[in-house]
């Protein structure tokens, strides 16, 4: 077998060869890239966390392939800029380095808030799964997502039963587009205020009494949850569109209750 | 505490009370419902498998809640009809029983094909993750999805290396809308024919030699995979739109390579 | 490059060559093998489900490798025998075909029970994740596992609160060794009877009232759950050892409460 | 309903009441607790990451319940000490605060190493899933776990094929007990040196040529992988016992190849 690459010559660039199948590719790139990042939080501190990235660009029909290593290089060079303000720069860098017209970035990360118990004030760290989904394609588009675990207590169960009411952990996923800056913390607080009760990392007995009674006094179906969060988001002028999904891990069933509301205010 | 429900009287129907928040709900129902189902396959046999269902309807703004138990009742009554032909009946039943204008069904299930090794003919069962996503909302819409694991061998690695070429398991997800019946098996075969090589449950040594050489002779980037599958789907008149995603679990990286092409032929 | 394998000659059997590293391998084989199976249930019917198999044997130090395709062949030949009675035959076949002294089989599968609502009798299908773990190594050992989702209601929350009590879905995992036949259904029923309340696929309003009040009247910590299940298993002479794990998806926290009890009665 | 708790009086401590079922609980506590932590790495820097904790203690038969909030308090107070040296202090604190004889801690976390490409030296971050499993129960026991993704190239496929050889991503899980300090980085390097080739975050074309040829020149079955890692661990006197599991995501099958070796050197 002959040497495929002559010594001293650059290696063949297969990706750069001409493709004749005449099919443009909407998105091509890397997925499942884990990377340590720092996120700016409302308390004005850099919060260290781990991002799980998808980075893609479009590929015109006449190129055989993109250059995968460049996505990682761009990410390394911009790791300090994974923020609402920094992401547009990453997309611009991706478009330039990959010679593309559009670029997309998706990053999922756990985000922590210090949270104090409602009566004793005992504090701990609450984790929330968050995500930024951004696209530069002529114009710029950015979606923020938070998943907020809450307590939901069933209004029907409360009403028909002599004592007690079934309740459970529910997960509220909110995606928003905004025209002005909104903190992840603000979205989280809107959701928690809409629930039967928010969750807490540390609860002493006086706190547990408080959350139990608060949930009992504020029953919520999944239907109520999506509506209450929708009302909160409708009332915030910075938010221009949203999608709300609620999934209750019903304590009386092995399956979940689910509701969804989407709205474009424009 | 007084009796909330008088003896002999029906229990209060909270869900049915009037809601004044003026927010219609796009989708409400149940999710994560596991149910044994039978799927008709091309060999004209009922294949027993397990479905994971999401069932939802819309809810007009003036109702407080939907009736979750009815989704399960409808599913029980129609468990023999989880097929391309039977799903419209389930959606009609959901709309009637829930008094709704739109109904949605999504069911994910493992699907098996008997598959013979390419040289020795030794047969085994190959599993594929499939999904039907259907909606009745005035008109009827139905998407079929298959996830097909394949071998992909890197054209660049082959070209620049003196010996060998890195290859790996890749996952091709295809979603299609059709205007005529298409078997899941047909979609699976189109994808496998587009890959460096298909996967097999049982391979004896002569088969392993065959698949190794076949993959080496048919290198594919993720970009090639989406294009080859796109060409196959373009050539089938029954298919009216599609989305193809490929994710290679790169054997040289801890992250994946990804590509996506979407097309509406209409 | 010369032909590595002469025409008409069998292909080289690398696995069968002598290994000189002097390291015996405890277990070698295949994992993540999905296969349609039928499980015999107490209602004396074959229940069709999907198994996820790990099959391994030991490998003496002097062999370089095992023969992976034979595991799949054995599985294909014995697919009708995936039962408490049939598994020993599969292990014997593995030992013979792979020329091994020990063989192990692990199969996880969803198992369904028809279950009627407690008041209205409305029936549906309840799914349970089950597992058999078997080993033939001179003697024969077999562990049965069931994961039973239940309702747990917090005794502390009930006691200290003026109204209501937090409750949630909990998951009880039971592993047992037995000296006489025990149905999966029996283990499931023991666990459900020990909980604040069992879960149901379909609940109409009179049923929801019943399960809400039953849970309120039977509060259980994770500590109570493991103890109640332990008492039930202690009282059954067929069971010779057990491990019980309970994980409550606390409705007031983002984390879970956990307890574990292990006992060998012998 | 009367006030359950008199004003001014402390709330009833149900957990502290006497249990008469006579069943001691092996482990009780919290699971799935996400918490930001800092891990000391060999480059002598604090690495910020996210821990997923299980914290438990034993519970004598005469107590009804443990006090869940105290686990979170202990974790908050010791969050800077999640290290090989700090974990014994956390266990001691758990035993004291919970008045227990034994305490257990398990923490899983992603760990990053800066890694340079083999030819061009282009650097990026490689993620590894790690875990510490520790128990104080009279004596102290600690297990370190790393999961290292690698390339494995099939010796049989290489030998019998005219060209190419199937290869794939494999995952090597190593658990060790040591009598002297061993860095996670050292375990990772031992595993990568034993593989057909290590993985890299960034590979330019000269690097891709290098890793392709290196893997082709160093074929490894799962059997070879466990043996090579065993030889490396046998040769390190600091390591007193180990368990090695390898799972290859075979590029020619939908299932995985698996091997396991366990050894107690003592």
């Amino acid at each position: 077998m002959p040497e495929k690459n002559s010594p001293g010559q650059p290696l063949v660039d297969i990706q750069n060869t001409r493709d004749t199948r005449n099919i443009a590719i909407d998105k091509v790139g890397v997925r499942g890239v884990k990377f340590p990042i720092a996120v700016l939080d409302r308390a004005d501190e850099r919060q260290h966390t781990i991002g799980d990235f998808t980075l893609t660009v479009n590929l015109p029909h006449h190129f055989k392939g993109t250059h995968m290593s460049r996505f990682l290089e761009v990410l390394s060079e911009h790791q300090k800029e994974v923020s609402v303000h920094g992401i547009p720069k990453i997309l611009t860098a991706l478009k330039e380095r990959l010679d593309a017209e559009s670029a997309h970035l998706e990053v999922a990360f756990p985000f922590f808030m210090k949270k104090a118990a409602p009566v004793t004030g005992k504090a701990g760290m609450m984790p929330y799964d968050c995500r930024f989904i951004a696209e530069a394609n002529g114009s710029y588009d950015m979606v923020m997502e938070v998943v907020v675990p809450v307590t939901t207590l069933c209004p029907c169960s409360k009403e028909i039963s002599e004592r007690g009411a079934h309740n459970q952990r529910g997960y509220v996923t909110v995606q928003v587009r905004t025209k002005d800056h909104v903190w992840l913390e603000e979205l989280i607080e809107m959701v928690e205020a809409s629930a039967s009760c928010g969750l807490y990392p540390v609860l002493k007995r006086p706190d547990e009494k408080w959350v139990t009674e608060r949930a009992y006094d504020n029953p919520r179906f999944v239907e109520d949850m999506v509506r209450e969060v929708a009302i909160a988001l409708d009332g915030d002028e910075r938010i221009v569109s949203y999608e709300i999904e609620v999934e209750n891990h019903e304590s009386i069933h092995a399956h979940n209750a689910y509701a969804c509301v989407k709205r474009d205010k424009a």
Side-chain angles (χ1 to χ4, degrees), chain A residues 88 91-92 95 101-104 134-142 177:
Chain A
L91 292 176
T92 299
K95 288 201 292 182
E101 290 113 52
S102 70
H104 317 75
E135 179 171 351
N137 185 6
S139 62
Y140 178 70
D141 182 56
M142 160 94 175
R177 284 184 177 81

Side-chain angles (χ1 to χ4, degrees), chain A residues 1-9 11-12:
Chain A
M1 191 181 288
E3 280 282 317
K4 284 178 177 173
N5 299 283
S6 310
Q9 293 299 107
L11 295 173
V12 181

Side-chain angles (χ1 to χ4, degrees), chain A residues 96-110:
Chain A
E96 281 173 12
R97 194 75 65 88
L98 276 308
D99 197 18
E101 290 113 52
S102 70
H104 317 75
L105 175 154
E106 197 172 318
V107 55
F109 55 95

Side-chain angles (χ1 to χ4, degrees), chain A residues 168-183:
Chain A
Q168 54 268 318
R169 211 187 285 162
Y171 292 86
V172 183
T173 303
V174 176
Q175 291 195 338
V176 297
R177 284 184 177 81
T178 67
K179 62 184 177 196
D180 210 340
H181 184 67
V182 176
W183 291 103

